[in-house]
Amino acid sequence: MFEVILKKGKEKAVLQRHPWVFSGAIERVKGEPANGDVVKLIDAQGRFMAYGFYNDQSRVALRLLEWDESTPIDENWFRRKVAIAVESRNYVLQSGKTDTCRLIFSEADYLPGLIVDKYSDYLSLQILTSGIQNNLSVIIDELQHLLQPKGIYDKSDATSRAHEGLATTNEVLAGSPPPELVEVKENDITYVINIAEGQKSGFYCDQRDNRHILASHAAGKKVLDCFSYTGGFTLNSLKQGAAFVTSVDSSALAIETLRKNIELNGLDAARHAAVQSDVNKQLRRFKEDGEMFDVIVLDPPKYAPSRSALDRASRAYKDLNRIAMLLLNKGGLLATFSCSGAMDIDTFKQVLAWAALDAGKQVQFINQFCQPEDHPVRASFPEGEYLKGLLCRVI
Ligand code: SAH
């Protein structure tokens, strides 16, 4: 096995079991490992530190897998990690009210670069590292053994694949291709999902619990669901008896699918309006028209892809939230999210405080949202925490 020698003084994070080693922390590579090979990380004294995937095209040159030298990274290692991850999701699925969740969440499940989402009888994978790509056949075999899915689909169209020198793919890996629309259930609500053409792996199952919490505040209320995608917050709110829900998203496919979902669940289309528009423009339009709401959801895409983008992103979050605050009736609720890993909850609270000040509103934080248990945050990998939100009462 090839060896990679760590620079002296760079041991701390590795000893704390952080899974990333940046290329700048590497002293020397012995031999010529291929990208995706499992290599041994050695400290400056020649002592074993960890096994990891090697990739010289990535800023994260090593993704560590195992810190115990006597545990080899063989087929059984991958099978064990897959099985542990899948088993730990039983809790989410056991009620029978939900048949979609994230089964494997990359570093959080000790499989850096592998995301597996379950959509009823189909699995949708995102493969973001060459190490996972190299070991895909055993991973697929174990998933088939554990779950007997009808089909396994590779939805690796993420731009992050380029960082590892991998091409994007969108194809069936095993079993039969999923139908154009796969029906799934979440919180006892049915959704159709277009795995091949939908965003990310097809659906945002990370908002499952938050949709449920938000909907408990929606009965009898006039709700605005911004960045609605296929209607997660909209459908939960309608089901909980919202008086009227308006959904806004810029994607025509998302709005079309949302409408299908409302019909599929027998929800009253007369209590719903969908607007295909840019949210920033639409909020300003509502302001001009004097249209007000009782509950507003803001679930924008990632504004800060990295720490260096945080300042700019903070201004965008502030502006978005400021306008939303101006559209709320007295005592209205704002459920506002950020899925930017670079934005921590304290910074997000600060951004909302600025937004409130600019809007001339008083804001109370009455609940905090986070990612659900099928998107765990590994203690030694805080970077895995990305989704946060606040439920605000705006006075
Ligand atoms: N709330 C959704 C997930 C939102 S994902 C759910 O519960 O499933 C972010 C969504 O924002 C995507 O559907 C994308 O199409 C939409 N979007 C991105 N930029 C936008 C913009 N400027 N205006 C309106 N929608 C936008």
Side-chain angles (χ1 to χ4, degrees):
M1 183 180 292
F2 291 108
E3 292 184 350
V4 172
I5 298 152
L6 193 69
K7 274 189 187 154
K8 203 165 163 356
K10 296 285 183 191
E11 299 85 2
K12 195 168 157 200
V14 177
L15 294 171
Q16 289 174 344
R17 310 218 157 186
H18 195 284
W20 290 350
V21 178
F22 291 98
S23 51
I26 290 175
E27 179 66 46
R28 194 157 61 86
V29 179
K30 281 192 182 171
E32 285 182 13
N35 288 335
D37 277 358
V38 175
V39 297
K40 229 184 225 192
L41 180 66
I42 304 288
D43 72 8
Q45 275 81 45
R47 286 174 301 210
F48 173 87
M49 295 200 82
Y51 296 113
F53 288 144
Y54 178 77
N55 192 314
D56 67 3
Q57 294 209 14
S58 172
R59 211 165 55 94
V60 184
L62 273 187
R63 292 177 191 264
L64 303 181
L65 303 164
E66 180 61 61
W67 283 256
D68 174 17
E69 188 170 14
S70 62
T71 304
I73 311 296
D74 54 14
E75 280 203 2
N76 280 331
W77 187 93
F78 285 100
R79 287 188 193 278
R80 273 198 312 277
K81 292 298 181 209
V82 168
I84 291 169
V86 167
E87 201 200 332
S88 72
R89 271 56 174 193
N90 283 343
Y91 179 80
V92 176
L93 302 168
Q94 72 185 7
S95 70
K97 293 179 175 179
T98 294
D99 64 7
T100 173
C101 74
R102 179 150 294 183
L103 294 173
I104 299 180
F105 184 33
S106 206
E107 278 88 350
D109 286 302
Y110 294 86
L111 289 164
L114 177 64
I115 292 175
V116 179
D117 288 327
K118 173 179 161 67
Y119 292 125
S120 182
D121 295 326
Y122 292 88
L123 302 181
S124 174
L125 270 57
Q126 293 174 71
I127 299 146
L128 308 174
T129 57
S130 45
I132 291 293
Q133 188 73 49
N134 284 357
N135 292 281
L136 202 53
S137 57
V138 62
I139 289 168
I140 288 175
D141 190 62
E142 186 62 20
L143 287 169
Q144 283 178 311
H145 166 71
L146 293 169
L147 300 155
Q148 295 91 45
K150 283 188 183 155
I152 301 183
Y153 196 79
D154 182 0
K155 188 68 198 294
S156 302
D157 56 0
T159 44
S160 48
R161 265 173 77 89
H163 300 314
E164 291 256 331
L166 297 167
T168 43
T169 55
N170 204 337
E171 63 186 11
V172 180
L173 292 174
S176 49
E180 188 188 335
L181 296 176
V182 175
E183 234 176 82
V184 304
K185 221 166 35 169
E186 179 196 88
N187 301 338
D188 252 348
I189 294 174
T190 307
Y191 298 83
V192 286
I193 290 177
N194 188 326
I195 297 181
E197 311 222 333
Q199 298 177 18
K200 295 283 166 69
S201 78
F203 188 59
Y204 294 93
C205 56
D206 55 0
Q207 288 285 28
R208 177 190 323 110
D209 296 349
N210 302 331
R211 291 168 180 146
H212 191 64
I213 296 169
L214 187 272
S216 70
H217 295 274
K221 300 284 167 60
K222 190 175 166 199
V223 178
L224 175 62
D225 179 10
C226 297
F227 308 95
S228 63
Y229 191 49
T230 54
F233 287 99
T234 296
L235 272 83
N236 278 270
S237 299
L238 284 170
K239 193 166 175 206
Q240 292 306 316
F244 197 89
V245 183
T246 306
S247 321
V248 183
D249 201 285
S250 54
S251 152
L253 180 62
I255 296 276
E256 187 193 316
T257 314
L258 186 160
R259 290 209 173 100
K260 280 195 188 113
N261 288 337
I262 289 184
E263 201 185 307
L264 199 62
N265 288 278
L267 293 164
D268 182 4
R271 287 191 289 129
H272 177 253
V275 185
Q276 188 201 337
S277 169
D278 176 90
V279 164
N280 291 289
K281 288 194 187 132
Q282 188 59 36
L283 292 182
R284 282 167 172 83
R285 222 166 278 148
F286 285 139
K287 177 101 193 1
E288 280 162 22
D289 298 346
E291 178 118 30
M292 301 289 278
F293 301 89
D294 303 312
V295 177
I296 298 181
V297 180
L298 294 178
D299 185 19
K302 201 195 289 187
Y303 283 175
S306 65
R307 219 163 263 280
S308 58
L310 194 55
D311 273 356
R312 225 173 61 134
S314 294
R315 285 194 292 277
Y317 282 117
K318 189 190 102 172
D319 190 52
L320 177 69
N321 280 278
R322 179 185 64 84
I323 302 239
M325 286 173 188
L326 293 172
L327 297 176
L328 277 168
N329 291 319
K330 212 167 185 178
L333 295 178
L334 173 65
T336 182
F337 296 90
S338 162
C339 59
S340 306
M343 166 82 73
D344 62 32
I345 186 76
D346 290 332
T347 313
F348 196 45
K349 283 181 180 166
Q350 186 64 60
V351 165
L352 290 166
W354 292 334
L357 206 61
D358 273 16
K361 301 279 179 184
Q362 289 173 42
V363 163
Q364 295 168 323
F365 301 136
I366 58 173
N367 206 343
Q368 207 160 299
F369 299 108
C370 58
Q371 59 207 65
E373 66 182 84
D374 51 330
H375 294 63
V377 182
R378 180 171 132 193
S380 52
F381 184 60
E383 289 84 348
E385 185 170 6
Y386 68 99
L387 179 63
K388 67 217 68 81
L390 289 158
L391 185 61
C392 312
R393 184 181 287 122
V394 179
I395 309 165

